[in-house]
Amino acid sequence: MTTSSILNGITKSSLKFLEPLTPGDTYAVIVDEAVSLVEAVYGTIILEENGELKRVYSSHQTGYVTQHRSRGNVYRVFKQQKTQIVSAKSIAKAHPEIKPHGIKWTIFIPLSYRNKSIGVLTINSAKDRTFNKGELNALKLFGSLATLAIRKAQLYDETRKALEQRDLFLAMAAHELKTPITTIHGYAQLIAQKVKNKERVDINWIEDLSAESMRLILLVRELLEVNRIRTGQLDYNWNECDLKEIINRAILNFKFIHPQHEVEFIDRIDSLPHKVIGDFDKLLQMIINSLDNAAKYSSNDKKIQIVLELRNKHVVIKIVDQGKGIKKSDLEQVFDQFYRSNDSAEGMGLGLYLVKTIITAHRGDIKIDSKPGKGTTLRVQLPLISI
Ligand code: ATP
Ligand code: MG
């Protein structure tokens, strides 16, 4: 094998690097090509991540056993960006695991491009041979082309994840918008009915209608913040919040969406201080989503209870239903995004994900207890304002 035959091989290999889309597939092609180029046994890719070198792929089990030392060859090649060939004798002490494979030498190829180092490719061979300077330089070129292929695959992966994030965000946004629209529709119908019958219209309805349309306006304004879409973060508007007010608003809303269901508010706080620091709309959304589940997963004749109490400087809200309950195997996953149990009739599986996100942002705690056939209790705990 000569420098020109290595160069020839590199040209063919580099075309193959560009084919795979995912980083995992790209690593495999790079290692396979490098191994066949220098007639080796196996190869490993080590990449830098948050200041540390981590193995991301090896074509042989042994490659996964090897622990790279912070002052070892891999680190040196990563820093100096020079191809190195090291005989097995000198590395067998630190890496006895390579012995059984009859490895004679290891080549360390820097994965770098234009002075930017992203990692190291190591190739282990069992053949007796040496490499001249030209050949080692040619292998460095191999490393540069491999680096570009890895970056391309990583960018593809990042783009795919960003798109997924965006889709999730849009789905969550739609979920938030659904609630005020339903309430507005409910009030509009009610008012139309009254006017048609020449009856008096309650001023409170019109005020609620106005408040809900305001909420809608605010939500849409938030939606338009491009930054939120990009990062998938919800913005919070922190204020002193009264949970009784929020619960009453949620119950009002609930009655429009689920008129057949009975909901009872059990207030065990009376006149004790119970305010929390929170985002009114997000907390409202949190209770609406929880009540929505309680109604969706129980029959109309089963009462839903919402209990408010104080516990160790916390306000506790419990949403209790006597519905179909959740299987033990599903319990751990109900807070995951898009998770719905197989027999769920409708929904996107985002309600509880949103609830948990909101509670976590409020430094609160959330638990779900459930028995199939008996019912479910969602317990939310929020810290009281400390005076
Ligand atoms: P979405 O809320 O997005 O409309 P969803 O209700 O299916 O859809 P989640 O609210 O996140 O999604 O709930 C996830 C799953 O947990 C549900 O599909 C359901 O199987 C189960 N679940 C949640 N709450 C209850 C409950 N109170 N009783 C029984 N099962 C529940
Ligand atoms: Mg739900």
Side-chain angles (χ1 to χ4, degrees), residues 235-380:
D235 282 344
Y236 287 82
N237 191 2
W238 301 105
N239 277 306
E240 275 190 21
C241 292
D242 183 341
L243 280 164
K244 286 190 195 185
E245 198 186 326
I246 295 176
I247 291 173
N248 280 322
R249 178 78 71 93
I251 291 176
L252 207 71
N253 183 293
F254 178 87
K255 286 183 174 157
F256 276 117
I257 308 171
H258 306 280
Q260 332 74 335
H261 264 282
E262 192 188 337
V263 55
E264 181 190 9
F265 178 17
I266 302 171
D267 177 3
R268 296 201 180 122
I269 285 185
D270 293 331
S271 53
L272 292 168
H274 59 275
K275 285 203 172 161
V276 299
I277 295 286
D279 180 316
F280 188 96
D281 286 323
K282 298 283 186 297
L283 291 175
L284 181 61
Q285 187 70 45
M286 179 278 286
I287 294 176
I288 287 172
N289 285 5
S290 312
L291 283 176
D292 187 49
N293 283 348
K296 231 166 48 176
Y297 304 111
S298 59
S299 53
N300 292 346
D301 57 328
K302 301 281 193 226
K303 198 201 275 178
I304 296 163
Q305 288 174 320
I306 175 157
V307 184
L308 189 68
E309 56 194 19
L310 294 177
R311 280 267 180 285
N312 311 327
K313 299 193 181 155
H314 284 81
V315 192
V316 174
I317 310 153
K318 284 194 277 197
I319 292 114
V320 188
D321 70 54
Q322 302 162 46
K324 65 180 204 174
I326 304 168
K327 277 189 287 192
K328 212 171 170 201
S329 56
D330 283 342
L331 265 184
E332 273 190 17
Q333 295 161 82
V334 292
F335 295 114
D336 293 350
Q337 59 202 38
F338 300 118
Y339 186 82
R340 307 167 49 216
S341 81
N342 292 337
D343 48 356
S344 277
E346 50 176 309
M348 301 205 291
L350 283 173
L352 285 182
Y353 172 70
L354 204 61
V355 165
K356 178 143 191 184
T357 310
I358 292 169
I359 294 304
T360 308
H362 283 76
R363 295 172 193 275
D365 202 33
I366 183 161
K367 278 200 189 86
I368 192 158
D369 268 327
S370 192
K371 277 218 173 74
K374 288 266 156 55
T376 304
T377 297
L378 188 78
R379 185 182 186 278
V380 167

Side-chain angles (χ1 to χ4, degrees), residues 131-189:
F131 285 87
N132 64 33
K133 219 169 170 203
E135 286 169 327
L136 288 180
N137 277 341
L139 288 173
K140 180 165 183 190
L141 174 66
F142 180 97
S144 297
L145 293 169
T147 305
L148 290 181
I150 291 172
R151 276 308 291 149
K152 177 202 132 239
Q154 285 173 336
L155 287 174
Y156 174 82
D157 217 36
E158 282 162 25
T159 311
R160 190 180 53 78
K161 282 192 187 131
L163 286 174
E164 263 175 31
Q165 186 78 272
R166 191 200 59 184
D167 289 349
L168 173 69
F169 173 82
L170 287 176
M172 279 170 70
H175 200 85
E176 280 190 79
L177 291 175
K178 199 168 73 183
T179 318
I181 293 173
T182 316
T183 313
I184 291 169
H185 180 66
Y187 276 119
Q189 274 188 322

